[in-house]
Amino acid sequence: MPRAKGTESENEMSILVDKNTKVITQGMGKTGQLHAKMCKEYGTQMVAGVKPGSAGTEIEGMPMYNTVADAKAATGANVSVIYVPPGGTKGAIIEAVDAELDLVIAITEGVPTLDMVDVMRYIEGSKTRLIGPNCPGVITPDECKIGIMPGHIHKKGHVGVLSRSGTLTYEAVWQVGNKGFGQSSCVGIGGDPVKGTDFIDVLEMFFEDGETEAVVMIGEIGGSSEEQAAEFVQSHPKRKPMAVFIAGQTAPPGKRMGHAGAIIAGGKGTASDKIAAFERIGVPCARTAADIGDALVSVYKG
Amino acid sequence: MNIHEYQAKEVLARFGVAVPRGVVVKNRKDVDSAIEQLGGDLWVVKAQIHAGGRGKGKIVTPENARKVASVCHTGKDAVAEIEKQKLSLSKGVTVTNDRAKVKSIVETVLGNHLVTIQTGNAGKSVNAVYITEGVDLIKDPIGSQLRAGQEKDFELYIALTVDRETGKVCILASREGGVEIEVVAHEKPELLRKIWVDPCVGFQEFAGYQIASDMKLNPKQQKSFVKLIDGLYRVFTALDASIVEVNPAVVTADDDVVALDAKINFDDNALFRHPDVEEMRDSTEEDQAEQEAHKWGLSYVPLEGNVGCLVNGAGLAMATMDLILRYGEKSGISPANFLDVGGGAKEEQVKAAFSIILRDPAVKAILVNIFGGIMLCDIVARGIVAAAKDLGVKVPLVVRLEGNHQAEGKAILKDSGLHIIPADSMADAGEKVVKAALGEI
């Protein structure tokens, strides 16, 4: 079976990123610098930054290069993380795809949707996987943290966490931890309507991953990715114990709830539809965000 | 961002789409010159608000709108109630060949409220009226396919939007225009045709001819319809729209296809590169508090409940609303708003968030739920203390802080001398804020 895009490691230790992952930061502004530094302190191999016109300089001990291709050639990096402003994100992703990186994680919030339409067409047939935009990033605890999540709440273990939302992912990780479980990897896929990686892609990786024993998935109103994920899980031969929470049960139709993707439109994308899709296939849904840990414990004892 | 119909039609006309000629009137003194300009002997008078359902909507005085709103929860209920009490002064859209009537309708509509199934229970104040030339409607020669055997006007539906699943612009079209398209999609989905556009090459005419012939249009109608689609696609991509919808596009006796109504929504994320679009914004249509929040980089949506929420992150904010309702539903407690302060809020933003929440007189308690990742708990705590002191917050405040610098944050709240109820988890926060709103703690 061919490996999913962007999964570099052969040894089935977590998904997407691990201790061997080498990361380039695109967009070394204030935000990019802060998070590059924090990820480096966590232990991630933050090997380079890309800042046009700054080749030969260093920021926070990381060498700067003019382009992603130069940074990759000099450091052997295989992943990039993007903090450039919304107007430049399309170009930054395309640059990383052209440099044939395995994985690009776009943290930037507020990217125009039609830019993402172009990007998704451009990325077709390439070797690069995109996660985001508008996401917190990816972490494999104690090995590699790429993105803006607080590192200290995570601990190494066997529960995979994936989510469309940022802080709600942290809440889920926190509760999983309070139940005594660590995480194999945590992936924030982002809240935008057009994005690089969807629930199904990550579920596939978690189901194939030897380190992951159970999965917590956090969805929200809008679109039909959660319903598709439920369908995918139902027929998957390597299905694992799973708990789900869907945010937005009280959201009124037609109102955008922060994320560009979180809106109930034309009666579609309601929380109750999504919850029903999972309950139908025997996956428990936490009644409130306070019950995420309990929902996991109801199907997984560690 | 949303614009009015008259603005949408101006945009469409700029891109070569056929629309009826029209003049926007914001003052009744201008009606005569508008009619003069338009000429002809049939006029359509359309109230301009940012909501659909205008044709079946009701014009009422602001006083009656308030009265009806006090007993109705939705726009749909309100429309029915207005009908029952016979309070309607006019419809949202009127067709007439009587010049004097155009004038009297404009006078009735301006300054009053239009209530439709989409406006919410109080309706919306009408500040502009669009007078257009009348278009002679003809009957669809093949009749209604949705309601077999019934007659229908020759009205088409066309819309463009970004499809999440394929990540491409999707064009939806149907011969069953004029009605709510959800009804068609639900009852006879085969009557709603879809094509997806490859962004590398853009809209291709052959694809348009394919759906036009599937819709059984004759050759001249097909040509006109394809031209319409092409114009709409260029509007969509050139201006970063999120929805372009024409319902109905009518087929005239000359086999031309004309956009009789038009709706355009723009992608808020792309407004930075379209100052001309931003200029079309009608801020009187937008909620004052929402605008204020937007200025501060906060994402705020007012709701009808009584517990204010201040949260970081959209997902956690929605989950916090859900939590309040779950714990409070039985005792009449529900969320008063959605408010996401964002990932890196500063002290001043936290303060602005409080002042926006407190404008709502229904708020009986406030729940602050922060998971400090990048946002540090001590900074949030300082913002809370400053806001509570400066704004003189009178309602009980339940605060849950978790994450980076939480110990420092909790200490700041404790030492502030303010009556702040700390909570340790989401469950604890939900229980406490409901009790606080009920005056039990």
Side-chain angles (χ1 to χ4, degrees):
Chain A
M1 192 171 166
R3 262 194 344 266
K5 256 189 180 184
T7 48
E8 184 65 1
S9 70
E10 296 272 0
N11 52 1
E12 298 207 334
M13 294 284 286
S14 74
I15 64 165
L16 292 165
V17 300
D18 60 23
K19 58 183 185 302
N20 300 315
T21 303
K22 290 183 177 170
V23 185
I24 297 168
T25 302
Q26 290 177 259
M28 286 296 280
K30 208 171 147 198
T31 312
Q33 284 184 33
L34 170 72
H35 295 299
K37 179 169 172 257
M38 287 169 80
C39 289
K40 196 174 171 206
E41 284 165 5
Y42 188 82
T44 309
Q45 297 190 57
M46 302 299 293
V47 295
V50 172
K51 201 172 177 197
S54 303
T57 64
E58 271 194 7
I59 295 178
E60 299 287 354
M62 289 168 266
M64 295 296 117
Y65 297 89
N66 283 338
T67 65
V68 175
D70 286 353
K72 182 190 173 184
T75 62
N78 58 332
V79 171
S80 91
V81 59
I82 293 177
Y83 298 98
V84 303
T89 302
K90 170 178 157 180
I93 297 171
I94 289 174
E95 185 182 353
V97 173
D98 275 356
E100 301 190 327
L101 297 184
D102 295 317
L103 179 66
V104 177
I105 300 170
I107 307 297
T108 309
E109 185 179 353
V111 179
T113 305
L114 284 177
D115 283 4
M116 286 310 301
V117 168
D118 289 344
V119 163
M120 291 315 292
R121 182 67 178 88
Y122 192 79
I123 213 167
E124 262 178 42
S126 76
K127 68 173 289 200
T128 307
R129 170 173 291 287
L130 170 67
I131 293 185
N134 188 14
C135 77
V138 179
I139 182 168
T140 292
D142 296 351
E143 294 196 29
C144 182
K145 161 181 139 72
I146 306 175
I148 59 175
M149 67 291 280
H152 74 278
I153 62 169
H154 301 82
K155 56 185 178 186
K156 201 164 188 53
H158 303 289
V159 177
V161 177
L162 81 157
S163 167
R164 254 169 87 179
S165 123
T167 43
L168 196 47
T169 319
Y170 316 156
E171 178 71 38
V173 167
W174 184 247
Q175 289 186 29
V176 167
N178 287 344
K179 294 292 177 190
F181 303 126
Q183 304 87 41
S184 52
S185 297
C186 307
V187 182
I189 60 171
D192 280 2
V194 179
K195 51 183 168 279
T197 293
D198 217 327
F199 285 131
I200 289 179
D201 308 305
V202 185
L203 284 170
E204 171 88 58
M205 291 178 223
F206 277 140
F207 290 171
E208 295 293 337
D209 172 40
E211 281 295 296
T212 303
E213 294 172 3
V215 176
V216 170
M217 184 182 130
I218 310 295
E220 60 188 34
I221 54 161
S224 55
S225 294
E226 289 80 1
E227 287 88 334
Q228 286 160 12
E231 211 169 291
F232 173 82
V233 169
Q234 179 176 28
S235 58
H236 199 285
K238 291 186 181 172
R239 179 176 166 175
K240 292 177 180 174
M242 238 181 117
V244 169
F245 173 70
I246 307 289
Q249 295 166 40
T250 49
K255 281 281 183 187
R256 179 176 138 174
M257 294 286 134
H259 290 166
I263 182 166
I264 298 169
K268 291 261 174 69
T270 65
S272 53
D273 286 351
K274 293 172 189 295
I275 291 167
F278 280 103
E279 288 185 338
R280 210 174 295 133
I281 62 160
V283 170
C285 293
R287 280 166 62 86
T288 73
D291 308 312
I292 296 169
D294 288 334
L296 174 67
V297 170
S298 75
V299 291
Y300 174 70
K301 312 289 175 208
Chain B
M1 187 191 119
N2 213 336
I3 56 173
H4 289 296
E5 175 205 355
Y6 77 90
Q7 296 168 313
K9 283 191 177 156
E10 283 166 11
V11 170
L12 295 192
R14 254 200 288 143
F15 283 79
V17 173
V19 297
R21 291 184 310 122
V23 178
V24 64
V25 171
K26 294 178 179 173
N27 189 317
R28 58 184 163 169
K29 291 202 299 274
D30 301 331
V31 177
D32 283 325
S33 70
I35 296 173
E36 221 48 61
Q37 221 177 307
L38 287 171
D41 52 12
L42 183 66
W43 301 280
V44 186
V45 186
K46 307 174 94 174
Q48 301 292 294
I49 58 166
H50 286 184
R54 292 173 298 159
K56 290 176 184 153
K58 311 284 181 196
I59 298 284
V60 291
T61 61
E63 299 75 46
N64 282 336
R66 270 192 291 277
K67 216 160 50 183
V68 169
S70 67
V71 292
C72 297
H73 287 294
T74 66
K76 199 175 170 187
D77 298 344
V79 170
E81 185 67 22
I82 291 165
E83 200 150 356
K84 204 174 105 194
Q85 295 196 33
K86 296 195 170 58
L87 298 173
S88 176
L89 303 171
S90 165
K91 291 184 295 181
V93 178
T94 307
V95 183
T96 178
N97 55 10
D98 177 354
R99 240 180 124 123
K101 195 170 174 197
V102 172
K103 216 169 169 178
S104 73
I105 293 282
V106 170
E107 283 178 9
T108 309
V109 169
L110 278 179
N112 278 323
H113 280 220
L114 175 55
V115 185
T116 82
I117 56 170
Q118 291 184 20
T119 54
N121 57 355
K124 288 193 154 188
S125 176
V126 183
N127 303 313
V129 177
Y130 195 38
I131 307 175
T132 70
E133 59 182 1
V135 175
D136 282 322
L137 296 181
I138 59 168
K139 292 292 171 197
D140 187 338
I142 64 173
S144 171
Q145 298 170 78
L146 185 65
R147 308 263 177 265
Q150 280 187 21
E151 274 198 339
K152 77 178 256 297
D153 290 331
F154 205 166
E155 296 180 322
L156 315 178
Y157 174 87
I158 172 121
L160 283 76
T161 182
V162 174
D163 177 40
R164 295 168 185 246
E165 277 178 46
T166 57
K168 292 190 167 73
V169 175
C170 179
I171 299 172
L172 300 97
S174 175
R175 189 161 176 145
E176 301 295 311
V179 294
E180 274 180 65
I181 202 65
E182 285 82 7
V183 177
V184 180
H186 183 70
E187 292 181 18
K188 286 205 174 163
E190 69 276 14
L191 295 177
L192 184 63
R193 281 158 226 284
K194 293 182 190 175
I195 50 171
W196 288 266
V197 182
D198 186 325
C200 287
V201 293
F203 171 70
Q204 296 294 308
E205 288 194 347
F206 77 89
Y209 278 107
Q210 183 66 60
I211 40 176
S213 69
D214 287 348
M215 286 162 68
K216 302 191 185 75
L217 298 177
N218 74 27
K220 191 176 174 212
Q221 294 162 358
Q222 286 185 23
K223 196 172 173 197
S224 184
F225 189 59
V226 169
K227 187 165 179 259
L228 171 73
I229 302 177
D230 182 61
L232 299 183
Y233 182 78
R234 284 184 294 112
V235 168
F236 196 95
T237 50
L239 300 181
D240 278 289
S242 55
I243 296 170
V244 172
E245 185 183 61
V246 172
N247 187 27
V250 295
V251 180
T252 67
D254 300 328
D255 291 329
D256 288 324
V257 180
V258 176
L260 207 59
D261 198 359
K263 171 181 168 181
I264 305 179
N265 281 0
F266 297 97
D267 178 1
D268 291 334
N269 288 348
L271 288 174
F272 70 87
R273 60 188 177 202
H274 300 293
D276 49 334
V277 169
E278 184 67 56
E279 266 174 30
M280 289 190 282
R281 185 187 290 274
D282 178 359
S283 46
T284 63
E285 283 282 336
E286 294 170 10
D287 184 274
Q288 291 292 314
E290 275 179 67
Q291 285 184 60
E292 170 83 15
H294 184 75
K295 259 198 320 218
W296 284 96
L298 310 167
S299 180
Y300 170 82
V301 178
L303 301 166
E304 281 164 3
N306 38 25
V307 172
C309 328
L310 191 163
V311 189
N312 66 330
L316 191 61
M318 281 192 278
T320 303
M321 285 158 43
D322 297 345
L323 183 81
I324 292 167
L325 188 73
R326 185 71 70 170
Y327 282 96
E329 204 168 12
K330 288 196 186 99
S331 29
I333 302 297
S334 63
N337 65 276
F338 166 92
L339 194 151
D340 171 12
V341 289
K346 309 267 181 332
E347 217 176 292
E348 309 86 73
Q349 280 165 296
V350 174
K351 202 177 145 187
F354 270 105
S355 88
I356 289 163
I357 291 170
L358 287 168
R359 281 186 197 178
D360 178 354
V363 169
K364 290 182 189 160
I366 296 176
L367 173 55
V368 179
N369 187 14
I370 300 291
F371 208 113
I374 298 320
M375 200 166 167
L376 302 175
C377 290
D378 51 342
I379 293 183
V380 178
R382 274 193 211 102
I384 295 170
V385 171
K389 286 188 173 156
D390 293 359
L391 301 167
V393 177
K394 300 277 190 304
V395 298
L397 213 53
V398 177
V399 179
R400 184 258 183 148
L401 292 177
E402 204 75 70
N404 281 335
H405 294 199
Q406 57 169 307
E408 294 91 324
K410 286 175 180 172
I412 290 168
L413 295 180
K414 196 157 174 268
D415 299 339
S416 68
L418 293 164
H419 179 53
I420 290 172
I421 304 159
D424 290 327
S425 65
M426 276 193 79
D428 190 35
E431 272 174 42
K432 282 179 175 161
V433 82
V434 168
K435 280 187 186 156
L438 292 168
E440 292 170 6
I441 49 173

